[in-house]
Amino acid sequence: MRNMVSAGSGHGNGGTELAERVCVVGISMNLVTYLVGDLHLSNAKSANIVTNFLGTLNLLALLGGFLADAMLGRYLTVIISATIAAIGVSLLAASTVVPGMRPPRCGDAAAGGGCVAASGGQMAMLYAALYTVAAGAGGLKANVSGFGSDQFDGRDPWEGKAMLFFFNRFYFCISLGSMLAVTVLVYVQEDVGRGWGYGASAAAMVAAVAVFAIGTPRYRYQRPQGSPLTAIGRVLWAAWRNRRLPFPADAGELHGFHKAKVPHTDRLRSLDKAAIVEADLTAAATPPEQPVAALTVTEVEEVKMVVKLLPIWSTCILFWTVYSQMTTFSVEQASHMDRRSGGFVVPAGSFSVFLFLSILLFTSVNERLLVPLARCLITRRRQGLTSLQRVGAGLVLATLAMAVSALVEKKRRDASSGGGGGGVAISAFWLVPQFFLVGAGEAFAYVGQLEFFIREAPERMKSMSTGLFLATLAMGFFLSSLLVSAVDAATRGAWIRDGLDDGRLDLFYWMLAALGVANFAVFLVFASRHQYRPAILPAADSPPDDEDAVREAATVKGIDF
């Protein structure tokens, strides 16, 4: 009976995540062609709209996690978030169907024979729809996997085994949703109609909410335990409040020093003031009858561990800036190239399928071939590559992808504009290498980053460290928008133009490649100075190694343990 309950709960969570992937990937991977082709926006502005949408979505995952941990619980947050996402994608579908929500076609009399960009009201409707989707999908991203893990008791051998199958199915649903989005859904958007494509996403989300709600009587629920952000805030505030107090002569005088679960360190000593036992009771703001309790050394050291992650965190941002080009300019490149394959014209947004195929391929190859090879020849460690070595490999592949992108764009532009207007469109399959390299980079970088942030964080701050990881995605997308705007202003529109043949997108790619080289050099400095947490011996009732490996692989798409 316990396994039947767990299986039913897993189907509900997996279906919800599949619908979220169909919704978000189906929007993001093909949105730029709608903005340029139907709303007549510039390439630079269209790219920024897409990256800002994705950045906000990942940033709102932090808010979704906070609300669930501090107030609502995961179940209510998932229900509310899925409903909000369904409303948002329904608004998006409506905005593509209602004639008044789009400008007239280029060349129509209403457009004066030219092209008229979308009006303020039309853009307001688009923004309302996109950021409603972002709010809902962000809440789902932060909680749906965690709620699924709440349904299993890891101390029970049967449920531990059932949890293994849940994470397998969950990862399968994520991959299946992404693949459906970039193949079937993008084709429907391009060849049948945007309204039908976005409407299908809305229907999938509504169905997922219904299936999830049906399982309500059988779910297990965890009470909100408070957000790790609150614990971090308490330490920072206490350290600031006691900033004028002298350090004790002996660190052993700090509150909870001899009972600390985490050894005291001398780094970031300013935070130790949060654990000073004798608070400044003479201050007017803190009367003697209401003393302020000192925090423990354990609490302070846990915050120090989170702060120690920030240098590596900062160097992971640029990878997602490179990744964002696969959803913007690479799709726009494909729309200007020959996309015929036999008698079928491949939609521009569907070329992202090579990105996901590469991710799945290298995720499998990493565990079956590269990790054993690295174990034997390079690191001599059981896990093969360390988490930071995986991140470094991802950064190198991303930099190489931008160099390849620059060469392909130069070839495309020369062929398209050569010979006195007699240029030709080269095959869009020239874009496959850049999608393939970025996908391979994600297979290394995503797993490496997530493993690093989870394993190096304090035990009770795992969700906070996962939130930090998701924030790198958000910052990467926002940095892409910033770079596009800065380059557009600095070059006065010479590099990124409405017509790709008139611009120099290849130079923009070369700039990203150069930034990648510099970022990798900084990463090497930080990585060489980082000291991993000491290995913790597994408890007697800990899950077997094969389950640990599967659970770790399942986290590749954001599963929170």
Side-chain angles (χ1 to χ4, degrees):
M1 176 63 69
R2 289 175 300 185
N3 289 338
M4 290 176 64
V5 171
S6 299
S9 304
H11 287 136
N13 285 276
T16 306
E17 183 60 19
L18 185 150
E20 185 269 336
R21 287 290 83 197
V22 167
C23 177
V24 173
V25 176
I27 292 172
S28 61
M29 288 299 178
N30 204 33
L31 181 60
V32 69
T33 60
Y34 174 70
L35 298 175
V36 173
D38 291 68
L39 299 189
H40 310 149
L41 303 181
S42 68
N43 283 327
K45 184 173 183 178
S46 299
N48 285 352
I49 289 174
V50 176
T51 51
N52 287 338
F53 162 66
L54 293 172
T56 302
L57 188 155
N58 285 283
L59 201 59
L60 287 175
L62 288 173
L63 177 61
F66 174 81
L67 291 175
D69 289 342
M71 292 179 284
L72 299 178
R74 290 193 177 106
Y75 171 79
L76 277 179
T77 308
V78 168
I79 284 284
I80 293 171
S81 297
T83 303
I84 291 173
I87 293 172
V89 74
S90 298
L91 288 174
L92 187 60
S95 70
T96 63
V97 173
V98 178
M101 289 295 101
R102 302 189 310 275
R105 294 178 179 272
C106 293
D108 286 356
C115 284
V116 176
S119 66
Q122 292 165 343
M123 293 302 299
M125 177 68 172
L126 176 72
Y127 288 137
L130 288 178
Y131 287 102
T132 301
V133 172
L140 279 176
K141 193 178 186 71
N143 293 289
V144 68
S145 57
F147 183 73
S149 66
D150 290 343
Q151 309 309 306
F152 303 90
D153 184 354
R155 297 169 296 182
D156 186 293
W158 292 99
E159 295 199 23
K161 187 176 180 180
M163 186 185 292
L164 172 64
F165 290 108
F166 165 74
F167 286 120
N168 277 332
R169 292 167 184 168
F170 194 90
Y171 183 66
F172 176 79
C173 287
I174 291 171
S175 302
L176 179 61
S178 299
M179 293 292 289
L180 286 174
V182 298
T183 53
V184 177
L185 202 58
V186 169
Y187 174 77
V188 171
Q189 292 171 5
E190 291 285 343
D191 287 37
V192 180
R194 294 274 177 175
W196 286 101
Y198 295 142
S201 296
M205 187 60 69
V206 170
V209 173
V211 171
F212 184 80
I214 289 173
T216 298
R218 298 188 295 176
Y219 292 144
R220 293 171 177 173
Y221 302 91
Q222 299 289 339
R223 293 180 178 274
Q225 299 295 320
S227 173
L229 289 173
T230 304
I232 293 175
R234 288 176 60 224
V235 171
L236 295 178
W237 167 245
W240 172 258
R241 183 190 63 214
N242 298 339
R243 65 190 182 280
R244 293 189 176 89
L245 297 182
F247 286 103
D250 182 3
E253 298 177 17
L254 295 173
H255 187 215
F257 179 87
H258 299 289
K259 297 181 180 180
K261 298 179 181 178
V262 182
H264 176 263
T265 61
D266 290 330
R267 63 189 175 207
L268 299 171
R269 290 191 67 220
S270 59
L271 295 179
D272 285 342
K273 292 195 173 184
I276 294 178
V277 177
E278 294 295 332
D280 188 5
L281 302 182
T282 61
T286 310
E289 64 271 12
Q290 294 180 347
V292 178
L295 301 179
T296 65
V297 168
T298 298
E299 292 173 300
V300 172
E301 288 299 323
E302 287 177 338
V303 173
K304 287 183 180 181
M305 291 167 67
V306 173
V307 173
K308 190 180 71 170
L309 303 177
L310 297 181
I312 299 296
W313 177 88
S314 66
T315 57
C316 293
I317 292 174
L318 190 67
F319 176 86
W320 300 107
T321 300
V322 170
Y323 178 90
S324 69
Q325 310 313 311
M326 300 301 104
T327 65
T328 54
F329 290 129
S330 292
V331 176
E332 184 64 12
Q333 283 177 282
S335 67
H336 287 73
M337 301 169 77
D338 183 3
R339 293 177 278 115
R340 290 174 296 178
S341 177
F344 179 72
V345 178
V346 181
S350 289
F351 278 86
S352 302
V353 71
F354 294 105
L355 177 74
F356 295 108
L357 288 175
S358 178
I359 292 170
L360 293 176
L361 173 63
F362 275 87
T363 300
S364 301
V365 169
N366 280 348
E367 301 304 324
R368 296 179 180 273
L369 179 62
L370 298 182
V371 168
L373 189 63
R375 183 188 302 133
C376 296
L377 302 179
I378 303 176
T379 65
R380 304 291 181 181
R381 298 171 184 246
R382 181 182 177 186
Q383 73 270 33
L385 298 175
T386 66
S387 57
L388 290 181
Q389 286 171 337
R390 291 176 187 247
V391 173
L395 295 178
V396 169
L397 287 169
T399 301
L400 182 59
M402 286 297 94
V404 171
S405 298
L407 294 173
V408 171
E409 171 59 15
K410 181 69 163 54
K411 178 180 179 65
R412 185 207 66 79
R413 181 174 177 271
D414 290 346
S416 179
S417 59
V424 296
I426 65 172
S427 173
F429 287 93
W430 278 97
L431 299 174
V432 171
Q434 62 200 61
F435 281 107
F436 191 81
L437 286 169
V438 172
E442 182 177 351
F444 283 102
Y446 200 119
V447 177
Q449 288 177 41
L450 193 59
E451 178 186 358
F452 175 78
F453 286 113
I454 287 179
R455 294 195 173 186
E456 294 298 292
E459 291 300 320
R460 68 190 188 96
M461 291 189 179
K462 299 298 185 184
S463 59
M464 176 64 199
S465 62
T466 304
L468 274 177
F469 166 68
L470 292 175
T472 63
L473 277 73
M475 294 299 104
F477 290 124
F478 288 139
L479 178 59
S480 177
S481 296
L482 179 63
L483 287 176
V484 169
S485 297
V487 167
D488 195 45
T491 64
R492 298 182 180 180
W495 284 16
I496 304 173
R497 301 179 70 93
D498 293 345
L500 287 184
D501 294 345
D502 299 325
R504 293 301 307 271
L505 184 60
D506 56 320
L507 297 181
F508 179 74
Y509 283 147
W510 280 122
M511 182 194 74
L512 287 177
L515 289 175
V517 172
N519 182 70
F520 181 68
V522 176
F523 168 80
L524 288 179
V525 173
F526 289 150
S528 63
R529 296 178 179 178
H530 181 80
Q531 294 181 346
Y532 287 100
R533 287 182 61 187
I536 300 176
L537 293 177
D541 59 348
S542 63
D545 289 342
D546 57 342
E547 181 177 331
D548 287 339
V550 173
R551 293 180 66 188
E552 183 175 324
T555 62
V556 170
K557 289 297 178 185
I559 297 176
D560 177 22
F561 295 100

